[in-house]
Amino acid sequence: MNYSIESASIIDAAAITEIYNHYIRETVITFELTEITSSEMESRMERTMKTYPWLVIKVDGKLLGYAYATAWRERKAYAATAETTSSKSRNSSPA
């Protein structure tokens, strides 16, 4: 199996959305009430990628998880503070 951790790109948005929407449907951890579209995920990624990284993990080319950082708060005193998030596919076992 070929594992890789890479910088995410907008091309990854559909797979990331699929993973994220699972957590919206099945848990409360996202604080979202309805599933989002791939275009919404693309917008979120574009906004945060200007300043913070998005990473994906792929196994044999299949995206199985992602991680990203975002600003913690808008106030200047928090400028060096970021919040991180990571999510994995419910089918992330490469076996």
Side-chain angles (χ1 to χ4, degrees):
M1 278 183 253
N2 182 24
Y3 292 83
S4 65
I5 296 175
E6 315 169 359
S7 292
S9 71
I10 296 305
I11 295 168
D12 298 316
I16 290 170
T17 303
E18 185 177 325
I19 293 168
Y20 188 65
N21 280 340
H22 163 76
Y23 288 98
I24 293 172
R25 283 188 310 271
E26 303 297 329
T27 74
V28 296
I29 64 172
T30 67
F31 291 91
E32 303 261 17
L33 299 177
T34 58
E35 293 182 30
I36 67 167
T37 63
S38 289
S39 61
E40 172 61 23
M41 183 60 75
E42 288 176 14
S43 295
R44 292 179 184 191
M45 291 173 72
E46 287 172 341
R47 235 180 356 261
T48 57
M49 289 170 103
K50 292 176 184 174
T51 309
Y52 297 98
W54 276 72
L55 301 173
V56 293
I57 183 165
K58 295 181 180 180
V59 178
D60 296 330
K62 182 178 179 181
L63 193 149
L64 295 182
Y66 65 92
Y68 66 93
T70 58
W72 174 244
R73 298 267 193 252
E74 294 297 319
R75 293 189 179 128
K76 296 285 184 191
Y78 292 108
T81 304
E83 174 182 19
T84 60
T85 300
S86 64
S87 297
K88 67 179 190 75
S89 168
R90 62 189 159 157
N91 301 317
S92 62
S93 175

